[in-house]
């Protein structure tokens, strides 16, 4: 990486101005992640933080990259970039548009599990993590896409109803499911068919991200192996 002086000379800003912009981006990312329950942050939002007082078009990318380094080195969070995925039935006719789809960021802990559990993990939200893994697992086993009614059929078997607005753990179950769409674990799509419009849920970019996808596969594998009958030694 070039020295700070070499980098800053391209943008005509001081080291103090750079540090202020980087700190502003970091504060925004941490605040928005907490405020919006982990919903992805659009790159455009971070770009606007930088360009409101500076016009150099290359400056936002520089500031964001420095902020990513500091988030990882100081806070132990990777600021991971996500490319917004499009519903599978739209990919063919919207391939040109998908190139320009907005990028976004989520922060992912890179702390050792025991450190994260002791100092960061919020035990009061563990039920939402479990709910998320169950939903993603169901959709994954359905091939990555499932009709809304089929999804609710599986959830009813687990005691979760779309009519339940006061579940003792999840509260409004339908809103809990919608939150996974906002957080980009799922995406919704309507498709026309002989019986009218059908709503589908499909895995979105966050569920398809490598580490999460791998954890889901391991989670499902554990369940499958747990249910396997014991081997016959005869």
């Amino acid at each position: 990486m070039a020295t700070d002086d070499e980098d800053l000379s391209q943008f005509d800003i001081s080291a103090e101005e750079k540090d202020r912009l980087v700190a502003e981006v970091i504060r925004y990312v941490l605040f928005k992640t907490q405020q919006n329950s982990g919903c992805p942050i659009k790159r455009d939002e971070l770009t606007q933080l930088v360009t409101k007082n500076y016009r150099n078009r290359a400056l936002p990318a520089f500031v964001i990259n420095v902020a990513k380094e500091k988030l990882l080195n100081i806070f132990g969070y990777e600021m991971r970039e996500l490319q917004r995925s499009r519903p599978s039935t739209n990919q063919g006719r919207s391939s040109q548009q998908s190139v320009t789809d907005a990028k976004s960021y989520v922060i992912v802990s890179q702390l050792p599990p025991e450190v994260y559990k002791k100092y960061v993990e919020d035990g009061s939200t563990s039920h939402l993590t479990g709910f998320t893994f169950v939903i993603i697992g169901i959709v994954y086993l359905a091939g990555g896409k499932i009709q809304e009614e089929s999804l609710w059929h599986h959830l009813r078997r687990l005691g979760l109803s779309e009519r339940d607005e006061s579940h003792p753990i999840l509260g409004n179950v339908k809103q809990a499911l919608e939150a996974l769409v906002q957080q980009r674990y799922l995406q919704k799509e309507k498709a026309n068919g002989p019986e009218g419009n059908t709503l589908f849920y499909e895995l979105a970019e966050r569920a398809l991200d490598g580490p999460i996808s791998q954890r889901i596969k391991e989670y499902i594998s554990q369940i499958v192996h747990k249910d396997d009958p014991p081997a016959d030694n005869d």
Side-chain angles (χ1 to χ4, degrees):
M1 186 175 179
T3 65
D4 282 348
D5 288 341
E6 290 173 335
D7 288 332
L8 298 179
S9 66
Q10 305 174 47
F11 310 115
D12 193 27
I13 63 172
S14 67
E16 291 75 14
E17 288 175 300
K18 182 219 43 171
D19 291 342
R20 179 179 56 78
L21 288 170
V22 169
E24 191 171 353
V25 167
I26 291 174
R27 282 196 300 268
Y28 187 87
V29 168
L30 294 175
F31 174 76
K32 288 285 285 189
T33 298
Q34 179 66 27
Q35 183 188 49
N36 294 336
S37 302
C39 292
I41 300 165
K42 293 180 180 178
R43 185 183 178 91
D44 285 349
E45 296 177 50
L46 303 182
T47 297
Q48 289 170 14
L49 285 178
V50 178
T51 57
K52 65 183 179 183
N53 292 318
Y54 299 90
R55 299 303 176 201
N56 190 303
R57 296 178 64 181
L59 182 59
F62 171 74
V63 171
I64 290 171
N65 284 335
V66 175
K68 289 169 70 173
E69 289 180 9
K70 288 189 177 294
L71 269 170
L72 182 60
N73 295 332
I74 297 174
F75 296 94
Y77 282 110
E78 176 190 357
M79 191 169 146
R80 184 171 296 164
E81 185 175 278
L82 300 175
Q83 178 70 51
R84 189 178 181 92
S85 60
R86 300 186 62 80
S88 57
T89 55
N90 288 341
Q91 286 177 356
R93 63 176 180 269
S94 303
S95 57
Q96 186 66 34
Q97 183 181 355
S98 66
V99 175
T100 59
D101 278 351
K103 293 181 179 179
S104 59
Y105 295 99
V106 293
I107 58 174
V108 180
S109 174
Q110 298 300 315
L111 296 170
E114 62 276 9
V115 174
Y116 182 85
K117 185 172 183 178
K118 184 175 181 179
Y119 296 105
V120 180
E121 187 175 65
D122 183 358
S124 66
T125 62
S126 59
H127 59 285
L128 295 176
T129 302
F131 178 73
T132 301
F133 266 74
V134 167
I135 296 295
I136 295 176
I138 291 173
V139 180
Y140 177 85
L141 287 172
K145 184 175 182 178
I146 191 171
Q147 287 188 20
E148 179 185 37
E149 180 53 39
S150 295
L151 177 58
W152 282 114
H153 170 75
H154 290 295
L155 292 178
R156 288 186 207 108
R157 296 178 64 184
L158 298 174
L160 300 173
S161 169
E162 66 270 41
R163 300 186 185 88
D164 194 344
E165 298 181 358
S166 56
H167 188 275
I169 297 175
L170 296 172
N172 188 311
V173 179
K174 203 166 187 177
Q175 287 182 4
L177 180 61
E178 181 62 27
L180 300 187
V181 177
Q182 299 301 318
Q183 294 165 1
R184 297 303 298 170
Y185 289 107
L186 300 175
Q187 55 189 340
K188 293 192 296 187
E189 178 197 12
K190 284 185 178 180
N192 294 321
E195 301 178 1
N197 289 333
T198 302
L199 184 65
F200 287 87
Y201 284 94
E202 186 172 357
L203 296 179
E205 61 273 10
R206 204 160 174 192
L208 296 170
D209 190 42
I212 291 181
S213 178
Q214 183 60 37
R215 286 173 63 191
I216 290 295
K217 292 175 183 177
E218 292 172 358
Y219 166 73
I220 292 172
S221 177
Q222 289 173 9
I223 294 175
V224 171
H225 291 159
K226 182 179 178 181
D227 292 340
D228 282 345
D232 189 351
N233 295 324
D234 294 337

Coordinates of all heavy atoms in Angstrom, one line a residue, residues 120-149:
V120 N -19.2 -9.8 23.1 CA -20.0 -9.1 22.0 C -21.4 -9.7 21.9 O -22.4 -9.0 21.8 CB -19.3 -9.2 20.7 CG1 -20.1 -8.6 19.6 CG2 -17.9 -8.6 20.7
E121 N -21.5 -11.0 21.9 CA -22.8 -11.7 21.7 C -23.9 -11.2 22.6 O -23.7 -11.1 23.8 CB -22.6 -13.2 21.8 CG -23.8 -14.0 21.4 CD -23.5 -15.5 21.4 OE1 -23.3 -16.0 22.5 OE2 -23.5 -16.1 20.3
D122 N -25.0 -10.9 22.0 CA -26.2 -10.5 22.8 C -27.1 -11.7 22.9 O -27.8 -12.1 22.0 CB -26.9 -9.4 22.0 CG -28.1 -8.8 22.8 OD1 -28.4 -9.4 23.9 OD2 -28.7 -7.9 22.3
G123 N -27.1 -12.3 24.1 CA -27.9 -13.5 24.3 C -29.4 -13.3 24.1 O -30.2 -14.2 23.8
S124 N -29.9 -12.0 24.2 CA -31.3 -11.7 24.1 C -31.8 -11.8 22.6 O -33.0 -11.8 22.4 CB -31.6 -10.3 24.6 OG -31.0 -9.3 23.8
T125 N -30.8 -11.9 21.7 CA -31.2 -12.1 20.3 C -30.9 -13.4 19.7 O -31.0 -13.7 18.5 CB -30.5 -11.0 19.4 OG1 -29.1 -11.2 19.5 CG2 -30.8 -9.6 19.9
S126 N -30.5 -14.4 20.6 CA -30.1 -15.7 20.1 C -31.3 -16.4 19.4 O -31.1 -17.2 18.5 CB -29.6 -16.6 21.2 OG -30.5 -16.7 22.2
H127 N -32.5 -16.1 19.9 CA -33.7 -16.7 19.2 C -33.9 -16.3 17.8 O -34.3 -17.1 16.9 CB -35.0 -16.4 20.0 CG -35.3 -14.9 20.1 ND1 -34.5 -14.1 21.0 CD2 -36.2 -14.1 19.5 CE1 -35.0 -12.8 20.9 NE2 -36.0 -12.9 20.0
L128 N -33.5 -15.0 17.5 CA -33.6 -14.6 16.1 C -32.6 -15.3 15.2 O -32.8 -15.6 14.1 CB -33.4 -13.0 16.1 CG -34.5 -12.2 16.8 CD1 -34.1 -10.8 16.8 CD2 -35.8 -12.5 16.1
T129 N -31.4 -15.5 15.8 CA -30.4 -16.3 15.0 C -30.9 -17.7 14.7 O -30.7 -18.2 13.6 CB -29.1 -16.4 15.8 OG1 -28.6 -15.0 16.2 CG2 -28.0 -17.1 15.1
G130 N -31.5 -18.3 15.7 CA -32.1 -19.6 15.5 C -33.1 -19.6 14.4 O -33.2 -20.5 13.6
F131 N -34.0 -18.6 14.5 CA -35.1 -18.5 13.5 C -34.5 -18.3 12.1 O -35.0 -18.9 11.2 CB -36.0 -17.3 13.9 CG -37.1 -17.0 13.0 CD1 -38.2 -17.8 12.9 CD2 -37.1 -15.9 12.1 CE1 -39.3 -17.6 12.0 CE2 -38.1 -15.6 11.3 CZ -39.2 -16.4 11.2
T132 N -33.5 -17.5 12.0 CA -32.9 -17.2 10.7 C -32.3 -18.5 10.1 O -32.5 -18.8 8.9 CB -31.7 -16.2 10.9 OG1 -32.3 -15.0 11.4 CG2 -31.1 -15.9 9.5
F133 N -31.6 -19.3 10.9 CA -31.0 -20.5 10.4 C -32.1 -21.5 10.0 O -32.0 -22.2 9.0 CB -30.1 -21.1 11.5 CG -28.7 -20.7 11.3 CD1 -28.3 -19.4 11.6 CD2 -27.7 -21.6 10.8 CE1 -27.0 -19.1 11.5 CE2 -26.4 -21.2 10.6 CZ -26.0 -19.9 11.0
V134 N -33.2 -21.6 10.8 CA -34.3 -22.5 10.4 C -34.9 -22.1 9.1 O -35.1 -23.0 8.2 CB -35.4 -22.5 11.5 CG1 -36.7 -23.2 11.0 CG2 -34.9 -23.2 12.8
I135 N -35.2 -20.8 8.9 CA -35.8 -20.4 7.6 C -34.9 -20.6 6.4 O -35.3 -21.2 5.4 CB -36.1 -18.9 7.7 CG1 -37.2 -18.6 8.8 CG2 -36.6 -18.3 6.3 CD1 -38.5 -19.2 8.5
I136 N -33.6 -20.2 6.6 CA -32.6 -20.4 5.5 C -32.5 -21.9 5.2 O -32.4 -22.3 4.0 CB -31.3 -19.8 5.8 CG1 -31.4 -18.3 6.0 CG2 -30.2 -20.2 4.8 CD1 -30.1 -17.6 6.4
G137 N -32.5 -22.7 6.3 CA -32.4 -24.2 6.1 C -33.5 -24.8 5.3 O -33.4 -25.6 4.4
I138 N -34.8 -24.3 5.6 CA -35.9 -24.8 4.9 C -35.9 -24.4 3.4 O -36.1 -25.2 2.5 CB -37.2 -24.2 5.5 CG1 -37.5 -24.8 6.9 CG2 -38.4 -24.5 4.6 CD1 -38.6 -24.2 7.7
V139 N -35.5 -23.1 3.1 CA -35.4 -22.7 1.7 C -34.3 -23.4 1.0 O -34.4 -23.8 -0.2 CB -35.2 -21.2 1.7 CG1 -35.2 -20.7 0.2 CG2 -36.4 -20.4 2.4
Y140 N -33.2 -23.6 1.7 CA -32.0 -24.3 1.1 C -32.4 -25.7 0.7 O -32.1 -26.2 -0.4 CB -30.9 -24.3 2.1 CG -29.7 -25.1 1.6 CD1 -28.7 -24.5 0.8 CD2 -29.5 -26.4 2.0 CE1 -27.6 -25.2 0.4 CE2 -28.4 -27.1 1.5 CZ -27.4 -26.5 0.7 OH -26.4 -27.2 0.3
L141 N -33.1 -26.4 1.6 CA -33.5 -27.8 1.3 C -34.6 -27.9 0.2 O -34.7 -28.9 -0.5 CB -34.1 -28.5 2.5 CG -33.0 -28.8 3.6 CD1 -33.7 -29.3 4.9 CD2 -32.1 -29.9 3.1
A142 N -35.3 -26.8 -0.1 CA -36.3 -26.7 -1.1 C -35.6 -26.3 -2.5 O -36.3 -26.2 -3.5 CB -37.3 -25.7 -0.8
G143 N -34.3 -26.2 -2.5 CA -33.6 -25.9 -3.7 C -33.2 -24.5 -3.9 O -32.9 -24.0 -4.9
G144 N -33.4 -23.7 -2.8 CA -33.0 -22.3 -2.8 C -34.2 -21.4 -3.1 O -34.0 -20.2 -3.1
K145 N -35.4 -22.0 -3.3 CA -36.6 -21.2 -3.6 C -37.8 -21.9 -3.2 O -37.8 -23.2 -3.4 CB -36.6 -20.9 -5.1 CG -37.7 -20.0 -5.6 CD -37.5 -19.6 -7.0 CE -38.6 -18.7 -7.5 NZ -38.4 -18.3 -9.0
I146 N -38.8 -21.3 -2.6 CA -39.9 -22.0 -2.1 C -41.2 -21.1 -2.1 O -41.1 -19.8 -2.0 CB -39.7 -22.4 -0.6 CG1 -40.8 -23.4 -0.1 CG2 -39.6 -21.2 0.3 CD1 -40.5 -24.1 1.2
Q147 N -42.3 -21.7 -2.4 CA -43.6 -20.9 -2.4 C -43.9 -20.5 -1.0 O -43.6 -21.2 0.0 CB -44.7 -21.8 -2.9 CG -44.7 -22.0 -4.4 CD -46.0 -22.7 -4.9 OE1 -47.0 -22.6 -4.2 NE2 -45.9 -23.3 -6.0
E148 N -44.5 -19.3 -0.9 CA -44.8 -18.8 0.4 C -45.7 -19.7 1.2 O -45.4 -20.0 2.4 CB -45.6 -17.4 0.3 CG -46.0 -16.8 1.6 CD -46.8 -15.6 1.5 OE1 -47.7 -15.6 0.5 OE2 -46.7 -14.7 2.3
E149 N -46.7 -20.3 0.6 CA -47.6 -21.2 1.3 C -46.8 -22.5 1.8 O -47.1 -23.0 2.9 CB -48.7 -21.7 0.4 CG -49.7 -22.6 1.1 CD -50.3 -22.1 2.4 OE1 -50.5 -20.9 2.5 OE2 -50.4 -23.0 3.3

